[in-house]
C-alpha cells in the first residue's frame, strides 16, 4: 500500500466549476499536509499548507484535513483555465521529508 | 520567497557517460537539500537527503554508487548520475527546506535528463 494515494485523473472541468481533489494517507504520524501545483516540466510550487486537522482558505482555494479518516482535500472555486496543472498532495512528519501523492492532472476548459 | 536554481535545465547524454546536476539556494543557506526523481505522469519520489559536510542519506532502492551526491557548501548540492543508462532518463528536482519553517520547502525548476 502506498503511503499516499491520489486519483491521477485526468480531470477536466468547465471554467467556473468547483474542483475537488482528494488524497488519502496511511501513516497517522504525518502532521503536515500540503498541496502543490506543478506546471509541465517545472518544479512544484506550494499552494496550501495545513497543520493537523482543520480547514484553511486562501482566496479561491480551500484545504481540508481530516486526520481521523486520513483524508485530505483541496477545493478550487470558480476555476480558471490558468488553474490547469497537475496538483500534488504531500504529507510530512517531523523530518521535513515530503511524501507525495501521484498527482492529479486538471484541465479547466474555457 | 526564497529561490532554488538548478543547472542544467535539460541535458542529453550518451549511455555510459556521467552527468552532473547542480542545485543552488540563491538567497539563503541550506544545510539540507532533497533530491527527487519524477518519471512522466508520475509523482516525485525522494531519492536522497543531501547534508552539508556529511554523507547523503539515500532512500531504499536508490543506488548510492550510481547517484553520487555532494553537498560542498551551504548553497550548493550536486547530483552526479554515473554511467547513465536510458532508464535513468527522468526529471530530477531538488528542494531546500526553509530553516525557519517546519514545513516550507523551496523547489528548483527541475532538470530533464535524457540518456540516449
Amino acid at each position: 500500500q502506498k503511503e499516499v494515494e491520489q486519483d491521477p485523473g485526468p480531470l477536466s472541468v468547465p471554467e467556473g466549476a468547483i474542483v475537488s481533489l482528494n488524497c488519502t494517507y496511511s501513516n497517522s504520524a504525518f502532521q503536515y499536509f500540503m498541496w502543490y501545483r506543478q506546471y509541465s516540466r517545472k518544479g512544484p510550487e506550494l499552494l496550501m499548507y495545513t497543520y493537523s486537522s482543520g480547514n484553511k482558505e486562501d482566496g479561491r482555494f480551500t484545504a481540508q484535513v481530516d486526520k481521523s479518516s486520513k483524508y485530505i482535500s483541496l477545493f478550487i472555486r470558480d476555476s480558471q483555465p490558468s488553474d490547469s496543472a497537475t496538483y500534488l498532495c504531500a504529507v510530512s512528519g517531523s523530518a521535513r521529508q515530503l511524501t507525495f501523492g501521484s498527482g492529479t492532472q486538471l484541465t479547466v476548459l474555457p | 520567497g526564497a529561490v532554488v536554481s538548478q543547472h542544467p535545465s535539460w541535458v542529453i547524454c550518451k549511455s555510459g557517460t556521467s552527468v552532473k546536476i547542480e542545485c543552488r539556494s540563491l538567497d539563503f543557506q541550506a544545510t539540507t537539500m532533497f533530491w527527487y526523481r519524477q518519471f512522466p505522469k508520475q509523482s516525485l519520489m525522494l531519492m536522497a537527503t543531501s547534508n552539508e559536510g556529511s554523507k547523503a542519506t539515500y532512500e531504499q532502492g536508490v543506488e548510492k554508487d550510481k547517484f553520487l551526491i555532494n553537498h560542498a557548501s551551504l548553497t550548493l548540492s550536486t547530483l552526479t548520475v554515473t554511467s547513465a543508462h536510458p532508464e535513468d532518463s527522468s526529471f530530477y528536482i531538488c528542494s531546500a527546506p526553509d530553516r525557519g519553517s517546519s514545513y516550507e520547502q523551496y523547489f528548483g525548476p527541475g532538470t530533464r535528463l535524457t540518456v540516449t
Side-chain angles (χ1 to χ4, degrees):
Chain A
Q1 182 189 9
K2 290 183 181 178
E3 285 194 287
V4 182
E5 298 275 2
Q6 182 176 5
D7 186 346
L11 181 62
S12 184
V13 300
E15 182 175 355
I18 296 175
V19 176
S20 173
L21 304 169
N22 308 292
C23 290
T24 58
Y25 63 95
S26 57
N27 190 340
S28 58
F30 292 131
Q31 303 176 64
Y32 302 95
F33 306 93
M34 281 71 71
W35 284 95
Y36 286 84
R37 177 172 61 195
Q38 185 179 27
Y39 294 107
S40 181
R41 302 191 179 188
K42 301 289 184 184
E45 56 176 326
L46 181 65
L47 267 182
M48 299 285 288
Y49 146 76
T50 309
Y51 173 71
S52 194
S53 284
N55 294 357
K56 192 169 188 177
E57 187 173 321
D58 183 1
R60 298 185 293 110
F61 298 89
T62 300
Q64 288 185 352
V65 175
D66 182 347
K67 290 193 73 177
S68 63
S69 59
K70 299 188 182 69
Y71 196 82
I72 58 178
S73 303
L74 177 70
F75 299 96
I76 306 174
R77 292 184 300 280
D78 187 24
S79 56
Q80 302 295 310
S82 57
D83 294 329
S84 299
T86 296
Y87 289 80
L88 299 145
C89 62
V91 298
S92 177
S94 57
R96 291 179 154 188
Q97 291 180 347
L98 297 177
T99 300
F100 285 88
S102 56
T104 300
Q105 186 178 344
L106 171 68
T107 301
V108 180
L109 302 170
Chain B
V3 177
V4 173
S5 71
Q6 282 184 242
H7 177 81
S9 57
W10 187 25
V11 58
I12 300 175
C13 71
K14 292 186 176 180
S15 187
T17 61
S18 295
V19 174
K20 180 185 285 187
I21 301 170
E22 293 184 348
C23 176
R24 292 183 185 273
S25 56
L26 296 186
D27 49 3
F28 67 105
Q29 294 182 334
T31 55
T32 299
M33 290 184 175
F34 299 105
W35 285 96
Y36 296 85
R37 180 167 53 184
Q38 185 177 34
F39 292 106
K41 297 191 177 182
Q42 294 188 27
S43 189
L44 283 77
M45 297 299 295
L46 180 66
M47 298 176 65
T49 303
S50 171
N51 302 299
E52 189 269 336
S54 64
K55 291 182 179 180
T57 304
Y58 291 82
E59 294 301 301
Q60 191 173 6
V62 177
E63 300 174 58
K64 59 182 179 182
D65 294 332
K66 180 171 184 60
F67 298 99
L68 301 179
I69 291 174
N70 183 20
H71 198 140
S73 75
L74 289 172
T75 59
L76 174 64
S77 175
T78 60
L79 169 68
T80 301
V81 183
T82 62
S83 187
H85 289 95
E87 57 265 31
D88 298 323
S89 299
S90 187
F91 194 52
Y92 292 86
I93 305 175
C94 68
S95 73
D98 183 329
R99 295 169 79 175
S101 168
S102 54
Y103 69 93
E104 181 101 45
Q105 286 194 29
Y106 304 108
F107 284 83
T111 296
R112 181 159 301 280
L113 170 63
T114 301
V115 184
T116 61

